[in-house]
Amino acid sequence: MRTVIFVNGLVEDYATMARWLQPDDYRICADGGTRHCAALGLTPHVIVGDLDSADPELVARFVAAGAEVERHPPQKDQTDLELSLERALHDGADEIILLGALGGRLDQTLANLHIVAQRRWPVPVRIAEGGQLAHVLIGPDRLVIDLPPGSMVSVIPFSPVVTGITYAGLRYPLEDATLRFGSTKGVSNEVEERPASVTIQEGMLLVVEESLNAVEKNNNR
């Protein structure tokens, strides 16, 4: 079951967000992420959080339409997103897409990225933002990138050291390379052959991919 979690981040382009959705998605709103669901004309299956940032009238409307509320006390050790991820797994998710996880508060943006990277989740967890899709690899791991030539791929170390980094099908190759935390060597690579791939042996690596159409759109702004 593919699960989409709407997070309470800043969203400027709902048309782009809508392109990540599929009709049979299981929809979870992390507290104030309810506003994104409403903006897209959708009803969530579950609302999770302490509801401190969700519009009470909107929540009531969703409940009347059949949404379930998993309410938590304000004094909690996990963010609404982390609780939503746990609920998604409990309900049988085999793939999780986060929408609205970036933008807005810098602390929440960084926290959301680190939640994805905090452990090896039992299912793929990805963050979609505009035309970009972010993955966290925890070695040993391999990501296949099925995007057309000209699409952008960036890798950023998320652990002190990432070893055994090997690219296939990218314009600027790496073979059994090591990148250290803070390195920008892996930023702004480009797909040459489809499918491309990124493989690592040890460490944690953030991989961000952006389709050719999205790259062209950003370059023309």
Side-chain angles (χ1 to χ4, degrees), residues 138-149:
I138 301 176
D141 206 349
R142 179 174 181 264
L143 175 68
V144 175
I145 302 166
D146 191 18
L147 293 177

Side-chain angles (χ1 to χ4, degrees), residues 7-61:
V7 190
N8 191 28
L10 180 66
V11 175
E12 298 179 345
D13 185 353
Y14 282 105
T16 298
M17 175 180 274
R19 290 201 290 269
W20 291 106
L21 301 174
Q22 297 177 4
D24 58 348
D25 286 332
Y26 186 73
R27 297 181 293 273
I28 296 177
C29 288
D31 208 314
T34 47
R35 62 193 175 96
H36 303 321
C37 222
L40 293 164
L42 300 171
T43 298
H45 294 91
V46 186
I47 301 168
V48 178
D50 56 16
L51 304 190
D52 64 337
S53 56
D55 181 343
E57 293 184 3
L58 185 56
V59 172
R61 192 179 92 197

Side-chain angles (χ1 to χ4, degrees), residues 147-180:
L147 293 177
S151 300
M152 185 275 295
V153 177
S154 290
V155 306
I156 301 170
F158 244 45
S159 59
V161 179
V162 184
T163 64
I165 305 171
T166 299
Y167 298 157
L170 298 184
R171 181 177 181 183
Y172 306 108
L174 286 180
E175 180 71 33
D176 197 25
T178 296
L179 292 180
R180 299 183 181 278

